[in-house]
Amino acid sequence: MLKPPKPIFKTRDSDATVLATLIDGGLPDWLAKILSSRLDKPIGVDLLYSNELADVEDPSSIPDMDIAVKRIVRAIKDEEKIILVCDHDMDGTGSAAVLWTALIDYFKVSSSLVNVVTSHRLTEGYGITEPVAQRIIDLKPNLVISADKGSSDEPRIKKISEAGIDVIVTDHHEIGAYGPPQSAIAVVNPIRTDSTYDKHVCGAGVAFLTMAKVRSALIQENIRQKIPSLASLLDYVAVATIADCVSMRPSKASTNRTFVKRGLQLINSKTRPCWEVFCSDIQGPVDAETIGFKLAPAVAAAGRLDWAEVGFKFLVAKTKGEAEKYWLELQNENALRKDIEKKLRDKAIPEACKKSGQSIVLFFEDGHSGVHGITASRLVEAFGKPAAIFSPKGAGVKNSNSVDEIKIASGSFRGIPGFNVKEALSYVSENHPGLLISHGGHIGAGGGSILISSFDQFEKAYEEAVKAQIGDEELKPIVWVDGELPIGLSNINVLNELEKLEPWGRDFAFPTFKGKFVVKTIKKLGDGSHLKLELWDGVNDMDAIWFNAVQDNAAIEFSIGSTLSLVYALKSNWYRNIKKIQLQIISQFDKL
């Protein structure tokens, strides 16, 4: 049976200048070495641990911020009807929660004046699409505020504007080739070429910064006497930031780190009914990994398979009973999503093994648009190549017999380090006019639609686009390693120091180490693909977990007494409020 290639193991290189700066700042050598392989410039040690909101740059430098604030303030003052149009993923859902809660709970706008409109991922697609624009027009608002979308939707924004409705875009996605949408009265997006603001903030972060400026203006203009600080909305911003995989590197994304640190404090303090319910399912404190693997997939699952409103309702629930109801719905949707994803992944990997080029582009007649992106990411992990998965547009949509657009295929794209997905899609659009019906995205991910009959032609065109960026360089999955743990350091002390540096994430990967271990016990977990092990390193016994260690019910390739060379991460394992160390196995070396 064909299998994905074995990974290449690479040790992270340390930056000597950064290393010296960190050691001079008082960090132990082992920790300074880990950090110096992740920072792109010297940074003060205090900035690694800081979470002061006072350090967040004033968002007035984002273009159009003042215009947006004045218009929103006017709408609040004049009691105008407002529509919030948000994306269907976790960032969009978090953005909707930020805007809604700021307007209703903090600025005391009547809930009868505010509507949330989300697009249906499967039938309407990403962005302010035609059906979304028409729904907005039919609701007859005075003002539309977008979040996490809108930067490349000029034709639909023009349509809304021509209906006499003002549109404010708040977003963080790349601007289209023709610049910010001209029909919007304001486009608040830090990634604009004329912006000097931190370009790594997610959609919910931009929405939060906008509402923070609105709060200040309402107070200054004496429209509202007292408004509490909006800092308590950073829980929503934190979950969106983590889920959207934006940068967490301290030397370039300090705003994200501050938002996430403050937000995690709020979540662990159970400041809302949703956090009471979520934390009751979690052993130990909630960290960025908990959000990324347990909360975000569940909240996003509703938007992947159907309408995204359940996730929004969970976040803004006013009672624990409401939150429990919506959390159960989300968990059920997520279980269904996992099953759909597994079935697609089980078909995609064997097909991907047959591809010999620099890219993997697959089409499945019976696929599911809601899990394309996740599955494409799994292919990137397994093969180390840019990947895309297509199926007929709307595939998987519930309660629909429509075949109006069955001739169109929609696809999700995921990239690798050093490769820009958006540039590759633009390359295809420019060099093969008409092949892409629509497309959009950013450096790491994107989406597009084509005619099903054009799939073979597109596959060749995308391969050409990939080669234009990365040539014929051999592509394989890479496992990055930070070396071996220094002798004399206890695992618990190392983990405690690493946890102080939360949040880890994109551009700031959690450390992984290598070592030799003797297997003492083996136990299968879940569906049999995961293993729980007891290992001995020559001094201590350690518990270990190895997710997806066994594929397709294959035999385990080692036994009790085997000596394994492993790459692993140190993780905390909480049981009855007692913290223990558990190794999370990443991969197995043939030899160290």
Side-chain angles (χ1 to χ4, degrees):
M1 184 177 67
L2 291 172
K3 291 183 179 181
K6 289 187 176 181
I8 300 169
F9 296 91
K10 291 187 177 182
T11 302
R12 291 187 173 93
D13 293 326
S14 178
D15 183 300
T17 304
V18 174
L19 178 64
T21 302
L22 295 174
I23 292 174
D24 288 345
L27 287 186
D29 290 6
W30 70 269
L31 185 55
K33 185 178 179 183
I34 287 171
L35 294 173
S36 66
S37 67
R38 288 160 172 77
L39 302 177
D40 53 355
K41 61 184 178 182
I43 184 173
V45 169
D46 57 325
L47 295 177
L48 293 168
Y49 300 94
S50 173
N51 65 352
E52 296 299 321
L53 281 176
D55 295 334
V56 174
E57 182 186 352
D58 187 331
S60 295
S61 62
I62 304 176
D64 289 357
M65 177 64 84
D66 290 345
I67 299 170
V69 169
K70 287 177 183 177
R71 182 64 186 89
I72 296 170
V73 167
R74 192 180 98 203
I76 294 170
K77 182 180 179 181
D78 295 345
E79 297 186 344
E80 295 180 343
K81 188 173 181 181
I82 302 171
I83 282 183
L84 312 176
V85 56
C86 305
D87 194 19
H88 39 55
D89 66 3
M90 182 73 243
D91 191 10
T93 304
S95 299
V98 167
L99 294 173
W100 173 271
T101 308
L103 290 169
I104 307 301
D105 294 345
Y106 288 77
F107 305 158
K108 303 306 177 185
V109 175
S110 170
S111 59
S112 65
L113 294 174
V114 184
N115 285 86
V116 177
V117 170
T118 57
S119 54
H120 193 293
R121 178 192 290 266
L122 305 184
T123 61
E124 296 179 336
Y126 167 77
I128 303 175
T129 58
E130 283 291 341
V132 172
Q134 190 57 55
R135 282 198 284 131
I136 290 170
I137 292 168
D138 291 343
L139 288 167
K140 299 179 180 179
N142 305 98
L143 175 64
V144 171
I145 306 171
S146 83
D148 195 36
K149 65 166 64 178
S151 290
S152 56
D153 291 322
E154 165 58 21
R156 278 75 63 192
I157 291 173
K158 183 179 181 182
K159 179 177 179 177
I160 296 169
S161 177
E162 288 175 345
I165 303 165
D166 288 340
V167 179
I168 292 171
V169 172
T170 75
D171 195 10
H172 74 124
H173 289 95
E174 292 199 26
I175 305 292
Y178 299 103
Q182 296 300 305
S183 298
I185 64 168
V187 180
V188 183
N189 187 335
I191 210 167
R192 285 175 56 159
T193 55
D194 53 346
S195 171
T196 59
Y197 200 78
D198 184 338
K199 296 185 184 300
H200 304 287
V201 180
C202 74
V206 178
F208 169 80
L209 293 168
T210 305
M211 290 295 106
K213 297 302 290 186
V214 170
R215 172 187 177 271
S216 298
L218 288 169
I219 294 172
Q220 288 167 6
E221 296 178 29
N222 207 30
I223 296 170
R224 296 287 187 270
Q225 296 295 318
K226 290 183 179 179
I227 305 173
S229 166
L230 298 193
S232 57
L233 297 179
L234 287 173
D235 51 351
Y236 294 147
V237 179
V239 297
T241 301
I242 293 165
D244 221 43
C245 296
V246 289
S247 178
M248 292 291 181
R249 185 180 294 175
S251 53
K252 73 176 186 181
S254 61
T255 304
N256 284 345
R257 293 183 62 76
T258 297
F259 286 169
V260 171
K261 287 180 182 182
R262 294 296 291 266
L264 288 173
Q265 289 173 358
L266 292 167
I267 292 167
N268 282 297
S269 297
K270 304 174 187 175
T271 53
R272 300 184 198 278
C274 61
W275 306 138
E276 284 188 73
V277 172
F278 177 66
C279 290
S280 68
D281 274 358
I282 303 300
Q283 291 282 343
V286 172
D287 58 15
E289 185 175 53
T290 314
I291 296 296
F293 285 94
K294 295 190 176 179
L295 177 75
V299 173
R304 290 187 181 281
L305 306 187
D306 204 20
W307 293 102
E309 275 85 350
V310 179
F312 169 72
K313 288 177 179 178
F314 168 70
L315 292 178
V316 302
K318 293 298 185 185
T319 67
K320 188 176 180 182
E322 274 187 274
E324 286 173 337
K325 171 191 170 187
Y326 295 129
W327 182 238
L328 180 60
E329 285 186 49
L330 291 172
Q331 287 180 304
N332 290 338
E333 288 287 283
N334 197 37
L336 179 59
R337 187 272 305 169
K338 286 180 180 177
D339 183 58
I340 294 169
E341 180 200 339
K342 184 180 185 304
K343 289 176 180 175
L344 185 59
R345 185 176 68 245
D346 288 347
K347 289 191 291 186
I349 287 180
E351 289 301 312
C353 287
K354 301 174 185 177
K355 304 292 182 181
S356 59
Q358 296 292 76
S359 63
I360 297 169
V361 182
L362 304 176
F363 174 83
F364 293 101
E365 185 70 42
D366 58 348
H368 193 295
S369 304
V371 299
H372 282 167
I374 301 175
T375 311
S377 294
R378 298 293 176 265
L379 294 181
V380 171
E381 293 168 6
F383 294 87
K385 297 178 179 182
I389 294 185
F390 283 85
S391 64
K393 187 172 182 180
V397 65
K398 296 180 181 179
N399 305 317
S400 175
N401 296 315
S402 172
V403 292
D404 292 344
E405 297 187 276
I406 200 68
K407 294 180 181 178
I408 296 175
S410 64
S412 293
F413 297 74
R414 294 296 183 267
I416 60 174
F419 174 77
N420 189 314
V421 172
K422 186 175 185 295
E423 284 185 10
L425 290 170
S426 296
Y427 177 100
V428 173
S429 180
E430 292 165 11
N431 290 276
H432 301 272
L435 191 53
L436 273 164
I437 296 171
S438 65
H439 67 92
H442 49 79
I443 186 171
S449 61
I450 60 174
L451 290 173
I452 293 176
S453 58
S454 300
F455 176 77
D456 290 344
Q457 186 182 351
F458 176 80
E459 183 180 13
K460 293 174 183 176
Y462 194 68
E463 174 74 5
E464 181 185 315
V466 171
K467 285 188 173 182
Q469 285 192 47
I470 59 179
D472 293 318
E473 172 191 348
E474 184 180 21
L475 299 178
K476 285 187 176 182
I478 297 173
V479 174
W480 290 97
V481 187
D482 289 286
E484 298 181 58
L485 275 176
I487 295 172
L489 281 177
S490 75
N491 286 345
I492 191 69
N493 287 337
V494 170
L495 181 58
N496 287 341
E497 289 301 317
L498 295 179
E499 288 179 342
K500 291 177 187 176
L501 287 160
E502 278 277 359
W504 300 87
R506 183 177 175 186
D507 287 340
F508 195 60
F510 192 78
T512 52
F513 304 103
K514 63 182 179 180
K516 279 190 176 182
F517 303 90
V518 176
V519 179
K520 296 189 70 177
T521 64
I522 304 171
K523 181 182 178 181
K524 286 189 174 184
L525 297 179
D527 61 1
S529 61
H530 314 309
L531 298 179
K532 183 174 176 59
L533 307 173
E534 185 181 349
L535 303 174
W536 184 61
D537 67 355
V539 178
N540 298 306
D541 290 332
M542 283 170 275
D543 290 332
I545 188 81
W546 193 344
F547 296 113
N548 299 310
V550 183
Q551 301 295 328
D552 301 319
N553 296 314
I556 300 173
E557 296 180 351
F558 54 87
S559 57
I560 293 172
S562 296
T563 298
L564 305 180
S565 299
L566 301 171
V567 178
Y568 65 93
L570 293 173
K571 298 292 180 179
S572 54
N573 184 28
W574 291 83
Y575 183 68
R576 293 181 178 174
N577 292 319
I578 297 174
K579 178 180 177 179
K580 293 184 178 181
I581 287 287
Q582 184 177 66
L583 306 190
Q584 183 175 314
I585 307 304
I586 308 299
S587 188
Q588 179 180 357
F589 276 104
D590 289 330
K591 60 181 179 179
L592 282 174

